[in-house]
Amino acid sequence: MKNIRWIPKLVLTLLLGLLAVVMLVPILLTFTNSLMTEQEIGRNYNLLGQMIDVAKGGKDAFVNLKIIPDWLSFGQYAEVLVLTTKFLRMFWNSVALVVPIVAGQAVVASLAAYAFAKLRFIGRDKLFMLYLMTMLMPFQVTLVPNYIVIDKLGLMNHTAAIILPGIFGAFGVFMMRQFMAHIPGAYSEAAMMDGGGAWVIFWRIILPLAKPGLAALTVLLFVDYWNMIEQPLIFLQDSYKQPLSLYLAQINKDALGIGFAASALYMAPMILLFLYAESYFIEGVQLSGIKG
């Protein structure tokens, strides 16, 4: 019996590996197809012709999913980055929206999480549960009151209508609070015995130990707000201010090759950020902190 205990683990490993391959195939196809010529992409993805063949009863009408291009072509990237100025403008619009949100929410979440996890005050747990309830509500539920508040503040069609609500999101507070709660209190008690105040404990002890949680929060927030659709679509009527996530659905109307290149460039910041913070991200998502 001991010799077959490894079989369930092997089956699980194979299933997870197969799932990983299935999830990576669309990303791989996006990058490899972005290096194909427009003619080759047209032959592989003649969607209109495939639909006509199927309507006529054809049985061999399938899209040819090729991974290796016949000829490497960077014309699509030149079209997107050089000849089409709108892509770069909306790319920097996304950066100008996402970076302040991620940085601001990381600061606010760290301070609020420290208060909820390490400081003692009346109504702390009840206030945290009330704060947590706002995270459980989808964006559609709070859309009308948010719209009214933003309109009354005169922030409609301004980037602050996206940035300010994002900075004070509840998800970051919840995640950082769960992480800081696992940091042993002995560190804080030792610092207090040495005369350290709440700010010293937070800045020199809690925050350095919470770096994995901050890294995980940064990656998750960046991905979430980099892909946002509803907020800019509602609060930014001027297309000149809208982010790349809204423009991406329109860029491949004329040519699939340009769409593949734009999608590859769109995914690149998220992939690079994850690879850079991978070790911290895995540890932070586990929310294990330091075991005391």
Side-chain angles (χ1 to χ4, degrees):
M1 295 297 293
K2 292 182 179 180
N3 295 331
I4 63 173
R5 289 181 178 178
W6 56 271
I7 295 180
K9 184 179 294 186
L10 177 62
V11 173
L12 180 60
T13 302
L14 292 176
L15 289 176
L16 292 178
L18 179 61
L19 181 61
V21 170
V22 172
M23 297 179 66
L24 288 174
V25 164
I27 300 176
L28 179 62
L29 285 173
T30 300
F31 281 96
T32 56
N33 282 261
S34 67
L35 298 174
M36 294 181 182
T37 61
E38 195 66 43
Q39 293 75 15
E40 184 177 359
I41 293 176
R43 293 193 302 268
N44 297 335
Y45 300 94
N46 185 14
L47 301 182
L48 181 59
Q50 304 291 346
M51 294 172 61
I52 294 174
D53 290 341
V54 171
K56 292 181 178 179
K59 296 182 179 179
D60 298 327
F62 294 99
V63 174
N64 184 18
L65 299 179
K66 290 183 62 176
I67 296 180
I68 302 177
D70 294 336
W71 299 97
L72 291 179
S73 173
F74 296 93
Q76 292 88 346
Y77 287 98
E79 178 73 23
V80 171
L81 296 175
V82 179
L83 302 179
T84 305
T85 58
K86 189 174 182 180
F87 178 88
L88 283 178
R89 187 182 74 242
M90 302 194 82
F91 177 88
W92 290 113
N93 286 348
S94 294
V95 173
L97 288 172
V98 175
V99 172
I101 291 176
V102 173
Q105 188 169 154
V107 173
V108 172
S110 299
L111 293 171
Y114 172 67
F116 283 125
K118 297 301 180 182
L119 301 183
R120 298 184 180 275
F121 54 90
I122 298 175
R124 182 190 68 174
D125 295 336
K126 294 181 179 179
L127 180 61
F128 178 71
M129 292 302 298
L130 182 63
Y131 195 74
L132 190 61
M133 289 175 61
T134 62
M135 188 184 72
L136 303 178
M137 298 180 184
F139 173 76
Q140 291 78 7
V141 174
T142 59
L143 174 60
V144 175
N146 284 341
Y147 187 91
I148 294 175
V149 171
I150 290 173
D151 184 54
K152 293 295 183 180
L153 293 175
L155 298 178
M156 194 63 65
N157 200 30
H158 195 280
T159 55
I162 309 295
I163 295 175
L164 291 179
I167 289 177
F168 297 97
F171 174 74
V173 178
F174 167 75
M175 183 173 179
M176 292 303 299
R177 187 262 183 189
Q178 296 301 103
F179 191 90
M180 290 182 181
H182 289 81
I183 298 178
Y187 294 114
S188 301
E189 295 173 1
M192 292 178 63
M193 293 178 62
D194 291 337
W199 175 254
V200 174
I201 295 174
F202 168 75
W203 184 254
R204 296 189 176 182
I205 298 177
I206 302 298
L207 193 59
L209 293 176
K211 283 183 178 179
L214 276 175
L217 177 63
T218 300
V219 173
L220 293 175
L221 288 178
F222 186 89
V223 172
D224 185 25
Y225 285 99
W226 188 260
N227 296 317
M228 61 181 171
I229 297 293
E230 295 92 347
Q231 298 94 320
L233 187 63
I234 295 172
F235 299 129
L236 297 177
Q237 290 83 10
D238 189 357
S239 60
Y240 191 83
K241 300 179 181 179
Q242 291 177 348
L244 185 59
S245 55
L246 295 182
Y247 178 60
L248 197 65
Q250 307 170 1
I251 198 171
N252 61 348
K253 287 183 177 180
D254 300 326
L256 285 176
I258 296 177
F260 279 119
S263 300
L265 292 171
Y266 180 80
M267 291 188 296
M270 293 180 284
I271 295 175
L272 293 175
L273 179 62
F274 174 78
L275 293 177
Y276 178 77
E278 178 183 1
S279 58
Y280 284 121
F281 175 79
I282 296 174
E283 183 180 356
V285 169
Q286 291 176 348
L287 296 178
S288 58
I290 300 175
K291 297 181 180 180

